[in-house]
Amino acid sequence: ELPGLSRRRLLGGGAVAAGAVGIGWGASGLVRREPHGDDGLDVVAFHGAHQAGIETTPPGHAAFVGFDLAPGVDRADIIGLLRIWTDDAARLTRGLPALADTEPELAARPARLTVTVGFGPDLFTVAGLPERRPPWLRPLPAFPIDRLDPAYTGADLLLQVCAEEATTVAHAVRVLSKHVRSLVTVRWVQRGFRDEPKGQTMRNLMGQVDGTVNIAARSVDFDRLVWDDGTAMPWLAGGTSLVLRRIAIDLDTWDELDTDGRELTVGRRVSTGAPLTGVDEFDEPDLTAVDRFGIPVIPPSSHVARARHTHDGERFLRRAYNYDDAPGPGQLSNSGLLFAAYQRDVDVQFLPVQQRLAEVDALNEWTTPIGSAVFAIPPGVAEPGGYLGQRLFE
Ligand code: HEM
């Protein structure tokens, strides 16, 4: 029973009460929807040493928006834009309308909203700060598996907006985009979703448990492997990097594969996500185990065997979202993964793994990278008054 529900019912609340507690009017009268897990009012703090939206438990909806800087934009314009985004994000994430918000009602349900800003390679040139660009901040090398569409590749600026409610995401993206419209053009918008019933790992649209092996939030590993310590680029201390790969999944041909084939492709069970050498999802895969014929239980070409880090320094955070967009002409579906990886150093942590998978990965038969972008994620705004990325410009 939702707290306050019966009181609101007694008060005879119609539309207003229904909106507030997540109930609505069905054909037969008052219908209570399934409880949502939270009441849409939960807030994730905007201010802090790190930007929110990375160590934050991923909420159900995300939009990644890539912008290009308009011709003629200069360093002062970029700072102005970042001040606007900082102010808007600080308000919206608290459930307050942005300044001059034309739909202030839509700001009332922050639903764990996070706004995360990233810088693409060319921003440093436009800002006149090429020497402050981290060496790993450039397009990934071309891989033979890639079929990159320019419509989903590269960008000067990134907005990553996540929340439990799709309306909240849409409103935040709209506000943040239109407030800087004279300075940027939208290059792409990529929307995704993920569902994680409490205590469970999400499933991707191939049906697999996806995200089991990861870096725990607020752990020593997270500090060590995800957050930058400013050694190479002092301005980036507390920041990180994002590699965003849009990976199409061919569900039509995947449908033809039986469960055994699916499990050998990944190296894990579809039902539980357990490695083929274990029983529980979180059992360590044993890549050396062989069956009675001497054949490896987890195929060396399986996704898990190929993706597994060969040393500690190859680990990174995965925070993927599913996408399921409108199919093109003649297509039945247009689905895949917005694969988002966060790490201190793209070249050291992400690239060797991606290179290995591009060489051999059983999963490649059904998956195709169609978009790719790399961003530096500046640190958080420690307290009110500052703006995102401030240290870069000082
Ligand atoms: C593990 C799916 C792309 C890196 C996994 C697992 C699944 C999966 C089901 C096993 C469960 C888990 O630990 O999360 C997919 C799908 C992809 C994809 C469907 C594309 C559509 C990628 C890419 C990379 C990657 C592009 C990196 C470049 C990893 C890593 C692991 C993993 C590092 C953990 C391996 C381990 O240590 O056991 N992936 N993946 N994946 N994947 Fe992927």
Side-chain angles (χ1 to χ4, degrees):
E1 182 79 9
L2 289 169
L5 178 62
S6 42
R7 190 168 57 86
R8 284 196 172 91
R9 256 186 185 160
L10 281 173
L11 290 172
V16 172
V21 297
I23 50 178
W25 296 100
S28 57
L30 194 58
V31 179
R32 203 184 127 193
R33 298 209 184 97
E34 282 302 301
H36 203 258
D38 73 52
D39 61 3
L41 304 181
D42 282 3
V43 166
V44 177
F46 172 77
H47 292 102
H50 313 296
Q51 289 197 67
I54 297 167
E55 205 160 3
T56 313
T57 305
H61 299 273
F64 295 87
V65 189
F67 298 89
D68 285 334
L69 294 166
V73 161
D74 63 14
R75 174 188 169 129
D77 294 326
I78 298 174
I79 293 174
L81 172 149
L82 292 167
R83 284 189 183 278
I84 292 170
W85 275 359
T86 303
D87 187 62
D88 286 346
R91 286 169 193 269
L92 292 170
T93 52
R94 279 156 64 203
L96 300 174
L99 282 183
D101 198 326
T102 43
E103 288 78 28
E105 298 78 8
L106 298 184
R109 298 176 67 79
R112 300 185 55 233
L113 174 69
T114 58
V115 174
T116 316
V117 170
F119 299 157
D122 291 347
L123 179 138
F124 293 80
T125 318
V126 175
L129 298 166
E131 73 289 350
R132 294 202 174 185
R133 176 177 31 227
W136 44 256
L137 183 58
R138 50 176 153 58
L140 295 183
F143 300 105
I145 52 169
D146 289 356
R147 299 286 176 274
L148 299 188
D149 182 340
Y152 293 117
T153 300
D156 295 340
L157 268 168
L158 168 84
L159 267 183
Q160 175 196 295
V161 178
C162 303
E164 292 294 1
E165 298 188 6
T167 309
T168 302
V169 172
H171 177 245
V173 167
R174 167 83 187 150
V175 166
L176 292 157
S177 303
K178 76 176 176 181
H179 286 178
V180 300
R181 72 196 316 165
S182 62
L183 302 174
V184 296
T185 53
V186 176
R187 190 175 172 94
W188 40 256
V189 181
Q190 307 192 48
R191 291 202 175 79
F193 56 90
R194 52 184 286 160
D195 295 298
E196 229 154 17
K198 238 189 166 32
Q200 289 179 37
T201 310
M202 74 172 251
R203 284 186 188 268
N204 62 37
L205 294 175
M206 300 175 100
Q208 303 147 352
V209 176
D210 192 343
T212 303
V213 173
N214 225 334
I215 301 176
R218 288 165 293 279
S219 64
V220 175
D221 281 349
F222 209 102
D223 278 344
R224 201 165 52 85
L225 296 163
V226 180
W227 298 129
D228 192 278
D229 64 359
T231 306
M233 291 284 161
W235 73 266
L236 193 55
T240 184
S241 69
L242 163 64
V243 177
L244 180 65
R245 304 272 286 170
R246 183 180 183 87
I247 306 179
I249 298 176
D250 188 341
L251 289 176
D252 289 334
T253 53
W254 179 247
D255 282 352
E256 293 165 9
L257 201 64
D258 62 11
T259 303
D260 276 356
R262 291 175 173 211
E263 296 186 336
L264 291 168
T265 299
V266 173
R268 288 179 173 271
R269 300 257 174 249
V270 175
S271 55
T272 57
L276 296 180
T277 52
V279 289
D280 183 78
E281 181 190 345
F282 293 98
D283 287 346
E284 274 293 306
D286 179 357
L287 299 181
T288 63
V290 293
D291 66 11
R292 62 202 167 92
F293 306 108
I295 297 171
V297 179
I298 297 178
S301 61
S302 66
H303 183 64
V304 157
R306 297 294 293 169
R308 203 159 184 77
H309 55 278
T310 57
H311 61 89
D312 187 61
E314 270 183 9
R315 295 166 59 205
F316 47 81
L317 175 76
R318 292 182 293 137
R319 197 178 192 271
Y321 279 83
N322 296 314
Y323 74 82
D324 186 31
D325 289 351
Q331 269 188 322
L332 197 62
S333 61
N334 174 9
S335 309
L337 207 57
L338 305 179
F339 181 89
Y342 305 80
Q343 53 279 304
R344 178 183 288 208
D345 190 322
V346 177
D347 288 356
V348 173
Q349 293 164 267
F350 178 84
L351 207 51
V353 179
Q354 177 62 87
Q355 240 140 13
R356 234 174 10 247
L357 295 180
E359 279 159 22
V360 178
D361 175 4
L363 201 60
N364 289 344
E365 179 80 20
W366 298 276
T367 60
T368 310
I370 56 170
S372 185
V374 184
F375 300 97
I377 308 287
V381 178
E383 47 201 59
Y387 65 91
L388 284 161
Q390 186 166 0
R391 293 196 56 202
L392 171 62
F393 301 95
E394 287 173 348

